[in-house]
Coordinates of all heavy atoms in Angstrom, one line a residue:
M6 N 44.5 -8.5 -30.4 CA 44.7 -7.4 -29.5 C 43.4 -6.6 -29.2 O 43.0 -6.3 -28.1 CB 45.7 -6.5 -29.9 CG 46.2 -5.5 -28.9 SD 47.0 -6.3 -27.6 CE 47.7 -4.9 -26.9
K7 N 42.7 -6.5 -30.4 CA 41.3 -5.8 -30.4 C 40.4 -6.6 -29.5 O 39.6 -6.0 -28.7 CB 40.8 -5.6 -31.8 CG 41.1 -4.3 -32.4 CD 40.3 -4.2 -33.6 CE 40.6 -2.8 -34.2 NZ 39.9 -2.8 -35.5
K8 N 40.4 -7.9 -29.7 CA 39.5 -8.8 -28.9 C 39.7 -8.6 -27.4 O 38.8 -8.6 -26.6 CB 39.5 -10.2 -29.4 CG 39.0 -10.5 -30.7 CD 39.0 -11.9 -31.1 CE 38.4 -12.1 -32.5 NZ 38.5 -13.6 -32.8
L9 N 41.0 -8.6 -27.0 CA 41.3 -8.5 -25.6 C 40.9 -7.2 -25.0 O 40.3 -7.1 -24.0 CB 42.8 -8.7 -25.4 CG 43.3 -8.6 -24.0 CD1 42.8 -9.7 -23.2 CD2 44.9 -8.6 -24.0
F10 N 41.1 -6.1 -25.9 CA 40.7 -4.7 -25.5 C 39.2 -4.6 -25.3 O 38.7 -4.1 -24.2 CB 41.2 -3.7 -26.5 CG 40.9 -2.3 -26.1 CD1 41.6 -1.7 -25.0 CD2 40.1 -1.6 -26.8 CE1 41.3 -0.4 -24.7 CE2 39.7 -0.3 -26.5 CZ 40.3 0.3 -25.4
I11 N 38.4 -5.2 -26.2 CA 37.0 -5.2 -26.2 C 36.4 -5.9 -25.0 O 35.5 -5.5 -24.3 CB 36.4 -5.6 -27.6 CG1 36.7 -4.5 -28.7 CG2 34.9 -5.8 -27.4 CD1 36.4 -5.0 -30.0
S12 N 37.0 -7.1 -24.9 CA 36.5 -8.0 -23.8 C 36.8 -7.4 -22.4 O 36.0 -7.5 -21.4 CB 37.1 -9.4 -23.9 OG 38.5 -9.4 -23.8
T13 N 38.0 -6.7 -22.2 CA 38.3 -6.0 -21.0 C 37.3 -4.9 -20.7 O 36.8 -4.8 -19.6 CB 39.8 -5.5 -21.1 OG1 40.6 -6.6 -21.4 CG2 40.2 -4.9 -19.7
I14 N 37.1 -4.1 -21.7 CA 36.1 -3.0 -21.5 C 34.7 -3.5 -21.2 O 34.0 -3.0 -20.3 CB 36.1 -2.1 -22.8 CG1 37.4 -1.3 -23.0 CG2 34.9 -1.2 -22.8 CD1 37.5 -0.5 -24.2
L15 N 34.3 -4.5 -21.9 CA 33.0 -5.1 -21.6 C 32.9 -5.7 -20.2 O 32.0 -5.4 -19.5 CB 32.7 -6.3 -22.6 CG 31.4 -6.9 -22.6 CD1 30.3 -6.0 -22.9 CD2 31.3 -8.0 -23.5
L16 N 34.0 -6.4 -19.7 CA 34.1 -6.9 -18.4 C 34.0 -5.8 -17.3 O 33.2 -5.9 -16.3 CB 35.4 -7.8 -18.2 CG 35.4 -8.5 -16.9 CD1 34.3 -9.5 -16.7 CD2 36.8 -9.2 -16.8
V17 N 34.8 -4.7 -17.6 CA 34.7 -3.6 -16.6 C 33.4 -2.9 -16.5 O 32.9 -2.6 -15.4 CB 35.9 -2.6 -17.0 CG1 35.7 -1.3 -16.2 CG2 37.2 -3.3 -16.8
S18 N 32.8 -2.8 -17.7 CA 31.5 -2.1 -17.7 C 30.4 -3.0 -17.0 O 29.5 -2.4 -16.3 CB 31.1 -1.7 -19.1 OG 30.9 -2.8 -19.9
L19 N 30.5 -4.2 -17.3 CA 29.4 -5.0 -16.6 C 29.7 -5.1 -15.1 O 28.7 -5.1 -14.3 CB 29.6 -6.5 -17.1 CG 29.0 -6.8 -18.5 CD1 29.2 -8.2 -19.0 CD2 27.5 -6.5 -18.6
S20 N 30.9 -5.1 -14.6 CA 31.2 -5.1 -13.2 C 30.8 -3.8 -12.6 O 30.3 -3.7 -11.4 CB 32.6 -5.4 -12.9 OG 33.5 -4.4 -13.4
M21 N 31.0 -2.7 -13.3 CA 30.5 -1.4 -12.8 C 29.0 -1.3 -12.6 O 28.4 -0.8 -11.7 CB 31.0 -0.3 -13.6 CG 32.5 -0.1 -13.5 SD 33.1 1.2 -14.6 CE 32.4 2.7 -13.9
N22 N 28.2 -1.9 -13.6 CA 26.8 -2.0 -13.6 C 26.3 -2.8 -12.4 O 25.4 -2.5 -11.7 CB 26.2 -2.6 -14.9 CG 26.2 -1.5 -16.0 OD1 26.3 -0.4 -15.7 ND2 26.1 -2.1 -17.2
V23 N 27.0 -4.0 -12.1 CA 26.6 -4.8 -11.0 C 26.9 -4.1 -9.7 O 26.1 -4.1 -8.8 CB 27.3 -6.1 -11.0 CG1 27.1 -6.9 -9.8 CG2 26.9 -6.9 -12.2
S24 N 28.0 -3.4 -9.5 CA 28.3 -2.8 -8.2 C 27.4 -1.5 -8.1 O 27.3 -1.0 -7.0 CB 29.8 -2.4 -8.2 OG 30.1 -1.5 -9.1
A25 N 27.0 -0.9 -9.2 CA 26.2 0.4 -9.1 C 24.7 0.1 -8.7 O 24.0 1.0 -8.3 CB 26.3 1.1 -10.4
Q26 N 24.3 -1.1 -8.7 CA 22.9 -1.4 -8.5 C 22.7 -1.1 -7.0 O 23.5 -1.6 -6.1 CB 22.6 -2.9 -8.8 CG 22.5 -3.1 -10.3 CD 22.1 -4.6 -10.6 OE1 22.1 -5.4 -9.6 NE2 21.8 -4.9 -11.8
K27 N 21.6 -0.4 -6.7 CA 21.3 -0.1 -5.2 C 20.7 -1.3 -4.5 O 19.8 -2.1 -5.1 CB 20.4 1.1 -5.2 CG 21.0 2.4 -5.7 CD 20.1 3.5 -5.4 CE 20.7 4.8 -5.8 NZ 19.9 6.0 -5.5
H28 N 21.2 -1.5 -3.3 CA 20.5 -2.5 -2.5 C 19.4 -1.9 -1.8 O 19.3 -0.7 -1.4 CB 21.5 -3.0 -1.5 CG 22.7 -3.7 -2.2 ND1 22.6 -4.9 -2.7 CD2 24.0 -3.3 -2.2 CE1 23.8 -5.3 -3.1 NE2 24.7 -4.3 -2.9
P29 N 18.2 -2.6 -1.6 CA 17.1 -2.1 -0.9 C 17.5 -1.6 0.5 O 18.2 -2.3 1.2 CB 16.1 -3.2 -0.9 CG 16.8 -4.4 -1.1 CD 18.1 -4.0 -1.9
A30 N 17.0 -0.6 0.9 CA 17.2 0.0 2.2 C 16.6 -0.9 3.3 O 15.5 -1.5 3.0 CB 16.7 1.4 2.4
P31 N 17.2 -1.1 4.4 CA 16.7 -2.0 5.5 C 15.5 -1.2 6.0 O 15.5 0.0 6.1 CB 17.8 -2.1 6.5 CG 18.7 -0.9 6.3 CD 18.6 -0.7 4.8
P32 N 14.5 -2.0 6.5 CA 13.3 -1.4 7.0 C 13.7 -0.6 8.4 O 14.6 -1.1 9.1 CB 12.4 -2.5 7.4 CG 13.2 -3.7 7.4 CD 14.4 -3.5 6.5
P33 N 13.0 0.5 8.5 CA 13.3 1.3 9.8 C 13.0 0.5 11.0 O 11.9 -0.2 11.0 CB 12.5 2.5 9.6 CG 11.5 2.2 8.8 CD 12.0 1.1 7.8
H34 N 13.8 0.6 12.1 CA 13.4 -0.1 13.3 C 12.3 0.7 14.0 O 12.5 2.0 14.1 CB 14.7 -0.3 14.2 CG 15.6 -1.2 13.6 ND1 15.4 -2.6 13.5 CD2 16.9 -1.0 13.1 CE1 16.5 -3.2 12.9 NE2 17.3 -2.3 12.6
P35 N 11.4 0.1 14.7 CA 10.4 0.8 15.5 C 11.1 1.4 16.7 O 12.0 1.0 17.3 CB 9.4 -0.2 15.9 CG 10.1 -1.5 15.8 CD 11.2 -1.3 14.7
S36 N 10.6 2.6 17.1 CA 11.2 3.4 18.2 C 10.7 2.6 19.5 O 9.9 1.7 19.5 CB 10.6 4.8 18.2 OG 9.2 4.8 18.4
K37 N 11.3 3.1 20.6 CA 10.9 2.4 21.9 C 9.5 2.6 22.2 O 8.8 1.6 22.7 CB 11.8 3.0 23.0 CG 11.8 2.4 24.3 CD 12.7 3.0 25.2 CE 12.6 2.3 26.6 NZ 13.5 2.8 27.6
S38 N 8.9 3.8 22.0 CA 7.5 4.0 22.3 C 6.6 3.1 21.5 O 5.6 2.7 21.9 CB 7.1 5.5 22.2 OG 7.4 5.9 20.9
E39 N 6.9 3.0 20.1 CA 6.2 2.1 19.2 C 6.2 0.6 19.8 O 5.2 0.0 19.7 CB 6.7 2.3 17.8 CG 6.4 3.5 17.2 CD 7.1 3.7 15.8 OE1 8.1 2.9 15.6 OE2 6.6 4.4 14.9
L40 N 7.4 0.2 20.2 CA 7.5 -1.1 20.6 C 6.6 -1.3 21.9 O 5.9 -2.4 22.0 CB 8.9 -1.5 21.0 CG 9.8 -1.8 19.9 CD1 11.3 -2.1 20.3 CD2 9.4 -3.2 19.2
V41 N 6.7 -0.3 22.8 CA 5.8 -0.5 24.1 C 4.4 -0.5 23.7 O 3.6 -1.3 24.2 CB 6.2 0.7 25.0 CG1 5.2 0.8 26.1 CG2 7.6 0.6 25.5
N42 N 4.0 0.4 22.7 CA 2.5 0.4 22.3 C 2.2 -1.0 21.6 O 1.0 -1.5 21.9 CB 2.3 1.5 21.3 CG 2.4 2.8 22.0 OD1 2.2 3.0 23.2 ND2 2.6 3.9 21.1
I43 N 3.0 -1.5 20.9 CA 2.6 -2.8 20.3 C 2.5 -3.9 21.3 O 1.5 -4.7 21.4 CB 3.8 -3.2 19.2 CG1 3.7 -2.3 18.0 CG2 3.6 -4.7 18.8 CD1 4.9 -2.4 17.1
K44 N 3.5 -4.0 22.3 CA 3.4 -4.9 23.3 C 2.2 -4.7 24.2 O 1.6 -5.7 24.7 CB 4.7 -4.9 24.2 CG 6.0 -5.3 23.5 CD 6.0 -6.8 23.2 CE 7.2 -7.3 22.5 NZ 7.2 -8.6 22.2
S45 N 1.9 -3.5 24.5 CA 0.7 -3.2 25.3 C -0.6 -3.7 24.6 O -1.5 -4.2 25.3 CB 0.6 -1.6 25.6 OG -0.6 -1.4 26.3
R46 N -0.7 -3.4 23.3 CA -1.9 -3.9 22.5 C -2.0 -5.5 22.6 O -3.0 -6.0 22.8 CB -1.9 -3.4 21.1 CG -2.5 -2.1 21.0 CD -2.6 -1.7 19.6 NE -1.5 -0.7 19.3 CZ -0.6 -0.8 18.4 NH1 -0.6 -1.8 17.5 NH2 0.4 0.0 18.2
E47 N -0.9 -6.1 22.5 CA -0.8 -7.7 22.5 C -1.2 -8.1 23.9 O -2.0 -9.0 24.0 CB 0.6 -8.1 22.2 CG 1.0 -8.0 20.8 CD 2.4 -8.4 20.4 OE1 3.1 -8.8 21.4 OE2 2.9 -8.3 19.3
L48 N -0.8 -7.4 25.0 CA -1.1 -7.8 26.3 C -2.5 -7.6 26.5 O -3.2 -8.5 27.1 CB -0.3 -6.9 27.3 CG -0.4 -7.2 28.7 CD1 0.1 -8.6 29.1 CD2 0.4 -6.2 29.6
D49 N -3.1 -6.5 26.0 CA -4.6 -6.2 26.2 C -5.4 -7.3 25.5 O -6.4 -7.8 26.1 CB -5.0 -4.8 25.6 CG -4.4 -3.7 26.5 OD1 -4.0 -4.0 27.7 OD2 -4.3 -2.6 26.0
K50 N -5.0 -7.7 24.3 CA -5.7 -8.7 23.5 C -5.7 -10.0 24.2 O -6.7 -10.7 24.4 CB -5.1 -8.8 22.1 CG -5.9 -9.6 21.1 CD -5.2 -9.8 19.8 CE -5.0 -8.5 19.1 NZ -4.5 -8.6 17.8
R51 N -4.5 -10.4 24.7 CA -4.4 -11.6 25.4 C -5.2 -11.6 26.7 O -5.8 -12.6 27.1 CB -2.9 -11.9 25.7 CG -2.6 -13.3 26.1 CD -1.1 -13.6 26.2 NE -0.4 -12.7 27.0 CZ 0.7 -12.0 26.5 NH1 1.1 -12.3 25.3 NH2 1.4 -11.1 27.2
Y52 N -5.2 -10.5 27.5 CA -6.0 -10.4 28.7 C -7.4 -10.6 28.4 O -8.2 -11.3 29.0 CB -5.7 -9.0 29.3 CG -6.7 -8.7 30.5 CD1 -6.4 -9.3 31.7 CD2 -7.7 -7.8 30.3 CE1 -7.3 -9.0 32.8 CE2 -8.6 -7.5 31.3 CZ -8.4 -8.1 32.5 OH -9.2 -7.8 33.6
N53 N -7.9 -9.9 27.3 CA -9.4 -10.0 27.0 C -9.8 -11.4 26.6 O -10.9 -11.8 26.9 CB -9.8 -9.0 25.9 CG -9.7 -7.6 26.4 OD1 -10.0 -7.3 27.6 ND2 -9.4 -6.6 25.6
L54 N -8.9 -12.1 25.8 CA -9.1 -13.5 25.4 C -9.3 -14.4 26.7 O -10.2 -15.2 26.8 CB -8.2 -14.0 24.5 CG -8.2 -13.4 23.1 CD1 -7.0 -13.9 22.2 CD2 -9.5 -13.9 22.4
E55 N -8.3 -14.2 27.6 CA -8.3 -15.1 28.7 C -9.5 -14.8 29.7 O -10.1 -15.8 30.3 CB -6.9 -14.9 29.6 CG -5.8 -15.5 28.9 CD -4.5 -15.4 29.7 OE1 -4.6 -15.4 30.9 OE2 -3.4 -15.2 29.0
K56 N -9.8 -13.5 29.9 CA -11.0 -13.2 30.7 C -12.2 -13.7 30.1 O -13.1 -14.3 30.7 CB -11.1 -11.6 30.7 CG -12.2 -11.1 31.5 CD -12.2 -9.5 31.6 CE -13.3 -9.1 32.5 NZ -13.3 -7.6 32.5
K57 N -12.4 -13.6 28.7 CA -13.6 -14.3 28.1 C -13.6 -15.7 28.2 O -14.7 -16.2 28.5 CB -13.6 -13.8 26.6 CG -14.9 -14.1 25.9 CD -14.8 -13.8 24.4 CE -14.7 -12.3 24.3 NZ -14.8 -11.8 22.8
A58 N -12.5 -16.4 28.2 CA -12.5 -17.8 28.3 C -12.9 -18.2 29.8 O -13.6 -19.2 30.0 CB -11.1 -18.4 28.0
I59 N -12.4 -17.5 30.7 CA -12.8 -17.7 32.2 C -14.3 -17.5 32.3 O -15.0 -18.4 33.0 CB -12.0 -16.8 33.1 CG1 -10.4 -17.3 33.1 CG2 -12.5 -16.9 34.6 CD1 -9.6 -16.3 33.9
L60 N -14.8 -16.4 31.9 CA -16.2 -16.1 32.1 C -17.2 -17.1 31.4 O -18.2 -17.3 31.8 CB -16.5 -14.6 31.7 CG -15.9 -13.6 32.6 CD1 -16.1 -12.2 32.0 CD2 -16.4 -13.6 33.9
N61 N -16.7 -17.6 30.3 CA -17.6 -18.5 29.5 C -17.3 -19.9 29.7 O -18.0 -20.8 29.1 CB -17.4 -18.2 27.9 CG -17.9 -16.8 27.6 OD1 -18.8 -16.2 28.2 ND2 -17.3 -16.2 26.6
H62 N -16.5 -20.2 30.8 CA -16.3 -21.6 31.1 C -17.5 -22.4 31.6 O -18.2 -21.8 32.5 CB -15.1 -21.7 32.1 CG -14.6 -23.2 32.2 ND1 -15.2 -24.1 32.9 CD2 -13.5 -23.7 31.7 CE1 -14.5 -25.2 32.9 NE2 -13.4 -25.0 32.0
P63 N -17.9 -23.5 31.0 CA -19.2 -24.0 31.4 C -19.2 -24.8 32.7 O -20.3 -24.9 33.4 CB -19.4 -25.0 30.2 CG -18.2 -25.4 29.7 CD -17.3 -24.2 30.0
V64 N -18.0 -25.2 33.2 CA -18.1 -26.1 34.4 C -17.6 -25.2 35.7 O -18.0 -25.6 36.8 CB -17.1 -27.2 34.2 CG1 -17.0 -28.2 35.5 CG2 -17.5 -28.1 33.0
A65 N -16.9 -24.3 35.5 CA -16.3 -23.5 36.7 C -17.5 -22.9 37.5 O -18.4 -22.3 36.9 CB -15.4 -22.4 36.2
T66 N -17.3 -22.8 38.8 CA -18.3 -22.2 39.6 C -18.0 -20.7 39.7 O -16.9 -20.2 39.3 CB -18.2 -22.8 41.1 OG1 -17.0 -22.5 41.6 CG2 -18.5 -24.3 41.1
K67 N -19.0 -20.0 40.3 CA -18.8 -18.5 40.4 C -17.5 -18.1 41.2 O -16.9 -17.2 40.8 CB -20.0 -17.9 41.0 CG -20.1 -16.4 40.9 CD -21.4 -15.9 41.5 CE -21.5 -14.4 41.4 NZ -22.8 -13.9 41.9
K68 N -17.3 -18.8 42.3 CA -16.2 -18.6 43.2 C -14.9 -18.9 42.4 O -13.9 -18.1 42.5 CB -16.2 -19.4 44.4 CG -15.3 -19.1 45.5 CD -15.4 -19.8 46.7 CE -14.4 -19.4 47.8 NZ -14.6 -20.2 49.0
M69 N -14.8 -20.0 41.7 CA -13.6 -20.3 40.9 C -13.4 -19.2 39.9 O -12.3 -18.8 39.6 CB -13.8 -21.7 40.2 CG -13.8 -22.9 41.1 SD -14.3 -24.4 40.3 CE -13.1 -24.5 39.1
K70 N -14.4 -18.7 39.2 CA -14.2 -17.7 38.2 C -13.7 -16.4 38.8 O -12.8 -15.8 38.3 CB -15.5 -17.4 37.5 CG -16.0 -18.5 36.6 CD -17.3 -18.2 35.9 CE -17.8 -19.3 35.1 NZ -19.0 -19.0 34.3
Q71 N -14.3 -16.1 40.0 CA -13.7 -14.9 40.7 C -12.3 -15.0 41.1 O -11.5 -14.1 40.8 CB -14.6 -14.6 42.0 CG -16.0 -14.1 41.7 CD -16.8 -14.0 43.0 OE1 -16.4 -14.6 44.1 NE2 -17.9 -13.5 42.9
E72 N -11.8 -16.2 41.5 CA -10.5 -16.4 41.9 C -9.6 -16.4 40.7 O -8.4 -15.7 40.7 CB -10.3 -17.7 42.6 CG -10.9 -17.8 44.0 CD -10.9 -19.1 44.6 OE1 -10.3 -20.1 44.0 OE2 -11.4 -19.3 45.8
Q73 N -10.0 -17.0 39.6 CA -9.1 -16.9 38.4 C -9.1 -15.4 37.9 O -8.0 -15.0 37.4 CB -9.7 -17.8 37.4 CG -9.5 -19.3 37.7 CD -10.2 -20.2 36.7 OE1 -11.2 -19.8 36.0 NE2 -9.8 -21.5 36.7
L74 N -10.2 -14.7 37.9 CA -10.1 -13.4 37.4 C -9.2 -12.5 38.2 O -8.6 -11.5 37.8 CB -11.6 -12.8 37.4 CG -12.4 -13.2 36.2 CD1 -13.9 -12.7 36.3 CD2 -11.9 -12.8 34.8
R75 N -9.3 -12.7 39.6 CA -8.4 -11.9 40.5 C -6.9 -12.2 40.1 O -6.1 -11.2 40.0 CB -8.7 -12.3 41.9 CG -7.9 -11.4 43.0 CD -8.4 -11.7 44.4 NE -9.8 -11.5 44.6 CZ -10.7 -12.4 45.0 NH1 -10.3 -13.6 45.2 NH2 -12.0 -12.1 45.1
A76 N -6.7 -13.5 40.0 CA -5.3 -13.8 39.6 C -4.9 -13.3 38.3 O -3.8 -12.8 38.1 CB -5.1 -15.3 39.6
L77 N -5.8 -13.2 37.3 CA -5.5 -12.8 36.0 C -5.3 -11.2 36.0 O -4.5 -10.7 35.4 CB -6.7 -13.1 35.0 CG -6.6 -12.6 33.6 CD1 -5.4 -13.2 32.9 CD2 -7.9 -12.9 32.8
N78 N -6.1 -10.6 36.8 CA -6.0 -9.1 37.0 C -4.6 -8.7 37.6 O -4.0 -7.8 37.2 CB -7.1 -8.6 37.8 CG -8.4 -8.4 37.1 OD1 -8.4 -8.4 35.9 ND2 -9.5 -8.5 37.8
E79 N -4.2 -9.5 38.6 CA -2.9 -9.3 39.3 C -1.7 -9.4 38.2 O -0.8 -8.6 38.1 CB -2.7 -10.2 40.5 CG -3.6 -9.8 41.7 CD -3.4 -10.9 42.8 OE1 -2.6 -11.7 42.7 OE2 -4.2 -10.7 43.7
K80 N -1.8 -10.5 37.5 CA -0.8 -10.8 36.5 C -0.8 -9.7 35.4 O 0.4 -9.2 35.0 CB -1.2 -12.1 35.9 CG -0.2 -12.5 34.7 CD -0.7 -13.9 34.2 CE -0.3 -14.1 32.7 NZ -0.8 -15.3 32.1
Y81 N -2.0 -9.3 34.9 CA -2.1 -8.2 33.9 C -1.5 -6.9 34.5 O -0.7 -6.2 33.8 CB -3.5 -8.0 33.5 CG -3.8 -6.9 32.6 CD1 -3.5 -7.0 31.3 CD2 -4.5 -5.8 33.1 CE1 -3.6 -6.0 30.4 CE2 -4.7 -4.7 32.3 CZ -4.4 -4.8 31.0 OH -4.6 -3.8 30.1
Q82 N -1.8 -6.5 35.7 CA -1.3 -5.3 36.3 C 0.2 -5.3 36.4 O 0.9 -4.4 36.2 CB -2.1 -5.0 37.6 CG -3.5 -4.5 37.4 CD -4.2 -4.5 38.7 OE1 -3.7 -4.8 39.9 NE2 -5.5 -4.1 38.7
S83 N 0.8 -6.5 36.8 CA 2.2 -6.5 37.1 C 2.8 -6.4 35.7 O 4.0 -5.8 35.6 CB 2.6 -7.8 37.8 OG 2.4 -8.9 37.0
Q84 N 2.4 -7.0 34.6 CA 2.9 -7.0 33.3 C 2.9 -5.5 32.8 O 3.8 -5.0 32.1 CB 2.3 -8.0 32.4 CG 2.7 -9.4 32.7 CD 1.9 -10.4 31.8 OE1 0.9 -10.0 31.2 NE2 2.4 -11.6 31.8
K85 N 1.7 -4.9 33.1 CA 1.6 -3.5 32.7 C 2.6 -2.5 33.3 O 3.2 -1.7 32.7 CB 0.2 -2.9 32.9 CG -0.8 -3.2 31.8 CD -0.6 -2.4 30.6 CE -1.9 -2.5 29.8 NZ -1.7 -1.7 28.5
R86 N 2.8 -2.8 34.7 CA 3.8 -1.9 35.3 C 5.2 -2.1 34.7 O 5.9 -1.2 34.5 CB 3.8 -2.4 36.8 CG 2.9 -1.5 37.6 CD 3.1 -1.8 39.1 NE 1.9 -2.4 39.6 CZ 1.7 -3.7 40.0 NH1 2.7 -4.5 40.0 NH2 0.5 -4.2 40.3
L87 N 5.5 -3.4 34.4 CA 6.9 -3.7 33.9 C 6.9 -3.1 32.5 O 8.1 -2.6 32.1 CB 7.1 -5.2 33.7 CG 7.4 -6.0 35.0 CD1 7.4 -7.5 34.6 CD2 8.7 -5.6 35.5
L88 N 5.9 -3.0 31.7 CA 6.0 -2.4 30.4 C 6.1 -0.9 30.5 O 6.9 -0.3 29.7 CB 4.7 -2.8 29.7 CG 4.7 -2.7 28.2 CD1 5.6 -3.6 27.6 CD2 3.3 -3.2 27.6
K89 N 5.5 -0.3 31.5 CA 5.6 1.2 31.7 C 7.0 1.5 32.1 O 7.5 2.6 31.9 CB 4.6 1.7 32.7 CG 3.2 1.7 32.2 CD 2.2 2.2 33.1 CE 0.9 2.3 32.6 NZ -0.1 2.8 33.6
K90 N 7.7 0.7 32.9 CA 9.1 0.9 33.4 C 10.1 0.9 32.2 O 11.1 1.5 32.3 CB 9.5 -0.1 34.3 CG 8.9 0.1 35.7 CD 9.5 -0.9 36.7 CE 8.8 -0.8 38.0 NZ 9.4 -1.9 39.0
M91 N 9.8 0.3 31.1 CA 10.8 0.3 30.0 C 11.0 1.6 29.4 O 10.3 2.5 29.4 CB 10.2 -0.7 28.9 CG 10.2 -2.1 29.3 SD 9.7 -3.3 28.0 CE 11.0 -3.3 26.9

């Protein structure tokens, strides 16, 4: 009877310890403005990389580069507008 009593108390105390352990808090979600800022920085970085690639292209003519830059600027501006609407 003593063994049953001791094992029951031991089992209850162990289960209480396991359930009492705190789970780590989930990381906070970024706010809407933070998300917009992150996306804006990514967009700027991608724009600068593409612009640099167009300007440093060894085979493209000056006219081709101008057309590609114009298209890139239009694409960039439309994406920026969409980002601001969010």
Side-chain angles (χ1 to χ4, degrees):
M6 190 70 164
K7 266 188 175 180
K8 288 183 180 180
L9 177 66
F10 182 69
I11 292 173
S12 62
T13 306
I14 290 177
L15 186 62
L16 184 64
V17 169
S18 65
L19 286 176
S20 65
M21 288 177 70
N22 280 341
V23 168
S24 64
Q26 289 178 352
K27 290 187 177 181
H28 297 287
H34 293 290
S36 68
K37 187 175 180 181
S38 61
E39 289 173 335
L40 281 174
V41 169
N42 288 338
I43 291 168
K44 293 291 182 182
S45 180
R46 275 186 258 127
E47 289 174 0
L48 184 62
D49 291 341
K50 189 184 293 185
R51 193 169 50 232
Y52 169 78
N53 288 330
L54 286 173
E55 289 182 34
K56 184 177 177 182
K57 192 180 289 186
I59 290 171
L60 291 174
N61 291 334
H62 195 278
V64 181
T66 64
K67 187 175 183 179
K68 187 175 181 179
M69 287 170 60
K70 289 180 183 181
Q71 287 175 346
E72 291 173 1
Q73 288 177 340
L74 283 175
R75 189 175 298 120
L77 180 65
N78 286 334
E79 290 174 7
K80 177 181 157 187
Y81 173 72
Q82 288 171 356
S83 68
Q84 289 177 343
K85 273 289 195 183
R86 266 187 248 114
L87 286 173
L88 205 54
K89 285 182 182 179
K90 284 183 182 179
M91 289 181 74

